[in-house]
Amino acid sequence: MLIDIALRDRWTSGSDVARLTDGGSRVVVLTGFASHDRIDELILAGALSVISKEVSTSDLLATLDDALSNDFDITPLIASALASSPNPQLIELSPQEARVLALYGSGMKLVAVAHHLGISVNTVKEYLRRVRRKLAEIDRPATTQLDLNREARRHGVLPD
Amino acid sequence: MTDNRETKTSVALIDDHEMFRDGLTRILNDNGYDVTGAVSHLPTSTTLV
């Protein structure tokens, strides 16, 4: 099975992967935005590989071929996840919060983020408000876009 | 690309973006895989494959 890591209303979890592999399926995960912790969890649960949606078609097919032939491939995403040290100072992000954080944190304007995700500017602001509130709860206030860029990278939704 | 495989591997695709799902389904079918199901939500069983 090829499963997107971020479905509309929730993340694909390690227990989802474990349930499918227990049922005899071989699972490969696709990801656009995901933290290292999430990738780590899915690999530990039995996913054969994690492939970025940003790779070329030929790279995607090659990685899928390798994974299904049990030629385990350490993709750059997995290597990065495995190399990162656990950090308890991370917040739990919903898929849409992660997307908004990644896009806004990359420097996009609110209206561009809204257009990219097909949501209103007010909805973007609401997601950012939720992210900022969660960050404040762990004593990491993020008042500026630069702060959010730093947090996006720290949470693995933007590359370092 | 052409498909030279004798035995196709069955693949179920779960992704909530319809355009991505449709595009990847075509790519996989054109490259030796047999996409047996493409849906937006995780199935409760493995009946897609």
Side-chain angles (χ1 to χ4, degrees), chain A residues 5-130:
Chain A
I5 199 169
L7 298 175
R8 189 167 303 282
D9 52 358
R10 69 183 187 90
W11 295 100
T12 299
S13 69
S15 58
D16 292 325
V17 170
R19 177 170 55 81
L20 294 169
T21 55
D22 287 348
S25 293
R26 291 177 294 172
V27 175
V28 174
V29 178
L30 297 165
T31 180
F33 301 110
S35 69
H36 292 163
D37 287 350
R38 293 210 175 276
I39 293 170
D40 221 4
E41 174 189 347
L42 299 179
I43 291 297
L44 290 172
L48 294 175
S49 191
V50 180
I51 307 173
S52 168
K53 285 185 173 180
E54 295 175 5
V55 299
S56 66
T57 299
S58 58
D59 282 350
L60 185 146
L61 290 168
T63 305
L64 186 59
D65 279 346
D66 287 346
L68 295 179
S69 61
N70 294 320
D71 183 8
F72 183 73
D73 187 22
I74 302 288
T75 65
L77 270 176
I78 297 173
S80 176
L82 295 178
S84 65
S85 58
N87 185 342
Q89 288 296 301
L90 296 177
I91 59 172
E92 181 77 10
L93 294 166
S94 72
Q96 195 73 322
E97 287 169 351
R99 292 185 189 105
V100 169
L101 177 61
L103 294 173
Y104 188 69
S106 72
M108 288 175 72
K109 295 185 181 303
L110 288 172
V111 67
V113 175
H115 180 73
H116 189 85
L117 295 176
I119 58 180
S120 72
V121 170
N122 281 339
T123 305
V124 172
K125 288 179 179 175
E126 172 60 23
Y127 281 116
L128 289 174
R129 190 184 63 78
R130 292 182 198 172

Side-chain angles (χ1 to χ4, degrees), chain B residues 3 8-12 25 28-29 31-37 48-49:
Chain B
D3 170 20
K8 292 191 173 188
T9 300
S10 297
V11 173
T25 295
L28 291 171
N29 281 331
N31 285 277
Y33 290 95
D34 177 23
V35 178
T36 55
L48 278 173
V49 176

Side-chain angles (χ1 to χ4, degrees), chain A residues 2 4 7-8 53 65, chain B residues 5 12 14-16 33 42:
Chain A
L2 265 173
D4 186 10
L7 298 175
R8 189 167 303 282
K53 285 185 173 180
D65 279 346
Chain B
R5 298 172 197 230
I14 300 106
D15 193 294
D16 58 355
Y33 290 95
L42 277 167

